[in-house]
Amino acid sequence: MSEAVAIAHPNVALSKYWGKRAVGRFPAVPSLSVTLSGLTTRTRVRFDRALSEDRVVLNGAPGDDGARARAVDLLDRVRRAAGEKRRAAVDSSNDFPTASGLASSASGFAALALAAVRAAGLDWDIPRVSDLARRSSASAARSLFGGYVELDAAHPVPREDDILAARSIAPADQLPLLVLVCVTTEGPKAVGSTAGMATTMAKSPYATAWLEEAPRLHARLREALFAKDFEAVGELAESSALAMHASAIAAGVIYWTGATLDVLAAVRRLRDARVPVFASIDAGPHVKVLVRPQDASGVHAVMRATAGVRRVIESWPGQGARLEAAIGPVS
Ligand code: DP6
């Protein structure tokens, strides 16, 4: 057997990726994220001669067909690169709700990519692992790195084998902030992000507006981050999330619930009371509230008391994916 265990964290995109090029899983817009400590995925991969097919267990239960197919696709890429013939057992667990817009695919595929590459004995550097993770879920490319991370838009007409990896652009302490993840449901989301962005690009009257606006917001956000300007970063992050969702909603892709709107209203009330606090929303109903460390406990209490918020997870800029253990090859 050869096995490795990797851990990875989700990331929240401050400037959002939403939309792909026509070929492969290549982003049509650049994105900038912060990797979140406080939420963790742990994944074990074991290549084992005794297995006749790949086994994928997610949070203690067999993965559904879709999740299994995506994991097998990644394992196949690794097997081809390593000349590995054995099937693998994958065991992955999250300490937060899976597939509900808390970016479980980002941490999940980042951890799977790193564990699979190392279990197969490949000595790929982290950018190469990031490119591998991107082929399963583009946001996962960013979770290989800690702190503030950027993923460029791909060439307009990419080739399937083009390498596109994320990169770290600033350390975790570049901008002190906390992300309060306001969890509004524990259940899985109805529309995954791959399908949601495909529908947006195909049907939204505002898809072109989003594709034009996203790089502009991204460039301004990048500058604000380098200037260590929390308020500008927060405002631009909220604008990116709202513009992304506006384009999606116009195509009927609606991730928000009443609780999402209640949290957005609470954020606005806090801003009216001069507390600098901003919201970001991914492909799900939860709201990630960006707050300065000194305001965190007061804002946490307000969010916790907001209708529809089931719990609030505090997270902060953290580390990229890393290996917990690698064993083998022993057979
Ligand atoms: C809203 O990376 O989950 O979280 O590449 O199709 O797997 P696929 O999509 P995914 O999309 C993430 C969308 C987002 C914004 C972001 O993380 O940039």
Side-chain angles (χ1 to χ4, degrees):
M1 285 190 292
S2 311
E3 72 174 58
V5 181
I7 59 177
H9 305 291
N11 63 77
V12 60
L14 302 172
S15 113
K16 303 287 185 199
Y17 144 60
W18 196 250
K20 293 179 177 61
R21 299 298 192 207
V23 173
R25 200 174 288 272
F26 288 100
V29 294
S31 56
L32 196 166
S33 61
V34 56
T35 302
L36 297 181
S37 284
L39 301 157
T40 301
T41 298
R42 183 172 183 276
T43 302
R44 176 185 301 273
V45 174
R46 188 181 84 239
F47 288 105
D48 188 340
R49 191 168 292 156
L51 293 171
S52 56
E53 59 175 17
D54 291 319
R55 264 198 238 146
V56 178
V57 173
L58 300 177
N59 293 316
D64 64 27
D65 288 351
R68 190 177 174 282
R70 271 169 98 169
V72 170
D73 186 58
L74 187 152
L75 292 166
D76 283 341
R77 291 179 204 282
V78 170
R79 275 190 285 258
R80 279 196 296 275
E84 173 64 69
K85 296 281 179 286
R86 293 171 296 181
R87 302 290 111 184
V90 174
D91 190 350
S92 184
S93 50
N94 295 327
D95 65 358
F96 55 91
T98 300
S100 60
L102 277 185
S104 59
S105 72
S107 55
F109 285 112
L112 177 63
L114 184 59
V117 160
R118 295 297 183 251
L122 293 169
D123 64 354
W124 290 0
D125 61 12
I126 294 297
R128 187 78 196 270
V129 180
S130 168
D131 174 73
L132 173 70
R134 187 218 13 107
R135 292 166 193 271
S136 297
S137 187
S139 58
R142 300 186 309 239
S143 274
L144 266 305
F145 300 91
Y148 294 87
V149 181
E150 186 170 47
L151 178 62
D152 292 335
H155 183 278
V157 192
R159 283 195 318 252
E160 186 69 55
D161 56 357
D162 284 353
I163 302 274
L164 182 70
R167 65 175 163 276
S168 163
I169 57 164
D173 62 1
Q174 171 75 13
L175 188 68
L177 60 78
L178 262 76
V179 179
L180 305 181
V181 181
C182 300
V183 178
T184 57
T185 171
E186 307 282 345
K189 61 189 173 192
V191 183
S193 36
T194 306
M197 68 179 85
T199 303
T200 306
M201 293 305 128
K203 299 214 171 115
S204 177
Y206 305 129
T208 309
W210 161 253
L211 293 172
E212 285 171 6
E213 179 65 4
R216 288 196 286 264
L217 284 169
H218 178 88
R220 289 169 61 201
L221 198 143
R222 196 176 198 282
E223 263 174 44
L225 175 68
F226 288 130
K228 299 180 187 277
D229 183 341
F230 172 81
E231 293 205 23
V233 166
E235 262 170 38
L236 290 160
E238 191 169 304
S239 296
S240 174
L242 294 177
M244 176 208 125
H245 281 276
S247 71
I249 288 169
V253 178
I254 304 172
Y255 291 106
W256 296 5
T257 61
T260 312
L261 291 167
D262 287 339
V263 178
L264 286 176
V267 164
R268 243 172 277 126
R269 276 195 300 274
L270 281 163
R271 273 210 300 270
D272 289 345
R274 300 205 182 288
V275 183
V277 50
F278 303 92
S280 183
I281 309 156
D282 288 314
H286 317 292
V287 182
K288 287 129 191 183
V289 173
L290 311 176
V291 61
R292 297 181 306 175
Q294 61 267 42
D295 298 324
S297 64
V299 173
H300 187 136
V302 171
M303 294 306 151
R304 188 69 198 82
T306 300
V309 174
R310 297 169 76 114
R311 59 195 174 113
V312 177
I313 306 170
E314 284 199 11
S315 57
W316 52 93
Q319 284 177 273
R322 57 215 179 268
L323 222 51
E324 195 177 84
I327 309 157
V330 294
S331 79

